[in-house]
């Protein structure tokens, strides 16, 4: 994957992915990793892109395992003002 909407990314597609549109703020990626780690969900690869500093950003994460709905809900609580979707290929 090299582009999603107007965001440049560099990531091979995977069976399990998270697509996260979020505000470009310090700590967002840390919260993502913390929530996934608390639920023993391993990150395979990750690509982050933004249009401009401090505006909207995109993070795409490939995962080793499917992400349960309750973990998606927890991510939505931990990363406010975001659109977080699980994608399965």
């Amino acid at each position: 994957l090299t582009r999603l909407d107007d965001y440049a990314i560099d990531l091979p597609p995977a069976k399990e992915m998270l697509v996260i549109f979020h505000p470009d703020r310090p700590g967002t990626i840390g919260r993502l990793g913390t929530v996934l780690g608390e639920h023993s969900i391993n990150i395979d690869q990750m690509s982050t892109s933004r249009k401009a500093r401090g505006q909207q950003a995109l993070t795409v994460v490939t995962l080793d395992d499917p992400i349960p709905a309750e973990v998606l809900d927890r991510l939505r609580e931990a990363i406010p003002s975001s659109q977080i979707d699980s994608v399965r290929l």
Side-chain angles (χ1 to χ4, degrees):
L1 303 173
T2 59
R3 183 161 296 281
L4 183 60
D5 288 340
D6 292 332
Y7 296 90
I9 58 174
D10 184 15
L11 196 68
K15 185 176 178 180
E16 304 291 339
M17 295 187 294
L18 278 177
V19 177
I20 307 166
F21 290 94
H22 57 87
D24 178 33
R25 294 190 187 127
T28 301
I29 301 302
R31 286 190 293 280
L32 169 66
T34 296
V35 171
L36 293 178
E38 288 172 349
H39 293 88
S40 299
I41 297 172
N42 197 39
I43 294 172
D44 177 35
Q45 294 186 46
M46 178 172 30
S47 182
T48 299
S49 180
R50 63 184 182 184
K51 293 179 183 179
R53 182 178 180 178
Q55 294 186 7
Q56 189 75 353
L58 167 69
T59 299
V60 180
V61 180
T62 62
L63 305 168
D64 290 342
D65 299 301
I67 187 161
E70 61 269 12
V71 177
L72 280 174
D73 291 341
R74 178 65 188 104
L75 284 169
R76 290 179 181 122
E77 292 171 5
I79 307 171
S81 303
S82 300
Q83 176 186 341
I84 302 174
D85 294 299
S86 175
V87 177
R88 296 191 81 193
L89 298 181

